Amino acid sequence: MVRQQMESRDIHDPRVRAAMRKVPRHKFVPRALQSVAYADCALPIEQGQTISQPYIVALMTQLGLPGPKDRALDVGTGSGYQAAILAELVEKVYSIEILRPLAESASERLEKLGYRNVQVRCGDSYRGWSEQAPFDVILVAAAPDHIPPPLIDQLAPNGRLVIPVGTSRQELLVVEKGATGKAHRRKVVPVAFVPMTGEAPRTKGPK
Ligand SMILES: C[S@@+](CC[C@H](N)C(=O)[O-])C[C@H]1O[C@@H](n2cnc3c(N)ncnc32)[C@H](O)[C@@H]1O
């Protein structure tokens, strides 16, 4: 998977490639899909949700520039796969999932696989996780139509937020907060994520 889907594209960070090699993706997909776990596509998981395409997980991780001493927020735990990848690369991962059955099964799965540096919480991530902020890296796997302001607020100075934004057309954005707290955003690539539910669709974004 790493040779065919990462090295031939633009995944050049050796730490990210190593994490993608190490985490057993087949343990994060439903049993019936284990034989295609490493295919170059997103796959369905429980509750009508998806585990993202491996390349997109690697790309978002690489864009987040995770460092060994970093604290990361993972939004949209789903299967827990992205949280596990991050857990290989940072000191501590906080992960939020809005659907309780997914939060519970991902938490059990991560525990069984020995990930002691991941904490999963069931809740709406629109407001982030203020008790554990600030975060050096925030990766979001569900698309709102605007960037939730609390996620920018909860970025540490020099922190990076990677988030799909849009409805019918979505763009993956990177928001970098400078040392002085000023945020700068850039578009990376068109993407297709499940919509962010909860408060996001009921809230008008800032102008
Ligand atoms: C593409 S899936 C996540 C894939 C996941 N990162 C993985 O590795 O399997 C998006 C997830 O975001 C969750 N989600 C959607 N809106 C949310 C919200 N407001 N707060 C937290 N989770 C949310 C969905 O329930 C879904 O499980």
Side-chain angles (χ1 to χ4, degrees), residues 42-66:
L43 292 171
I45 56 171
E46 299 80 10
Q47 303 285 315
Q49 299 302 317
T50 55
I51 175 173
S52 305
Q53 179 188 3
Y55 168 69
I56 290 292
V57 173
L59 178 66
M60 291 180 70
T61 308
Q62 179 170 272
L63 290 166
L65 303 173

Side-chain angles (χ1 to χ4, degrees), residues 140-176:
V140 181
D145 68 358
H146 62 276
I147 301 176
L151 295 185
I152 297 184
D153 294 345
Q154 290 175 25
L155 264 187
N158 298 315
R160 291 82 55 195
L161 163 65
V162 185
I163 181 168
V165 176
T167 46
S168 50
R169 288 160 53 104
Q170 300 170 7
E171 292 276 357
L172 190 64
L173 304 184
V174 177
V175 180
E176 284 163 331

Side-chain angles (χ1 to χ4, degrees), residues 49-50 76-79 81-82 97-98 102 124-125 141 194 196-197:
Q49 299 302 317
T50 55
T77 315
S79 67
Y81 180 65
Q82 174 72 80
E97 169 57 51
I98 202 162
L102 286 182
D124 184 346
S125 59
V194 296
M196 184 178 279
T197 57

Side-chain angles (χ1 to χ4, degrees), residues 2 7 10-22 62 88-89:
V2 171
E7 295 178 10
D10 49 355
I11 306 302
H12 46 71
D13 183 332
R15 293 182 70 239
V16 174
R17 286 184 184 181
M20 296 297 298
R21 264 190 218 103
K22 184 166 173 198
Q62 179 170 272
E88 296 286 345
L89 298 165

Side-chain angles (χ1 to χ4, degrees), residues 37-159:
Y38 297 88
D40 191 12
C41 57
L43 292 171
I45 56 171
E46 299 80 10
Q47 303 285 315
Q49 299 302 317
T50 55
I51 175 173
S52 305
Q53 179 188 3
Y55 168 69
I56 290 292
V57 173
L59 178 66
M60 291 180 70
T61 308
Q62 179 170 272
L63 290 166
L65 303 173
K69 293 273 164 238
D70 283 354
R71 293 159 60 79
L73 177 66
D74 170 50
V75 165
T77 315
S79 67
Y81 180 65
Q82 174 72 80
I85 296 286
L86 275 172
E88 296 286 345
L89 298 165
V90 302
E91 191 159 288
K92 179 83 193 184
V93 181
Y94 297 91
S95 185
I96 312 180
E97 169 57 51
I98 202 162
L99 299 173
R100 185 165 296 281
L102 286 182
E104 287 176 356
S105 58
S107 182
E108 269 170 37
R109 182 176 296 123
L110 289 161
E111 169 107 35
K112 255 196 216 148
L113 290 171
Y115 288 102
R116 303 276 173 261
N117 59 340
V118 184
Q119 191 178 336
V120 179
R121 188 186 95 176
C122 178
D124 184 346
S125 59
Y126 185 85
R127 297 204 169 265
W129 194 329
S130 57
E131 299 85 347
Q132 301 297 349
F135 304 101
D136 304 290
V137 184
I138 302 180
L139 302 187
V140 181
D145 68 358
H146 62 276
I147 301 176
L151 295 185
I152 297 184
D153 294 345
Q154 290 175 25
L155 264 187
N158 298 315

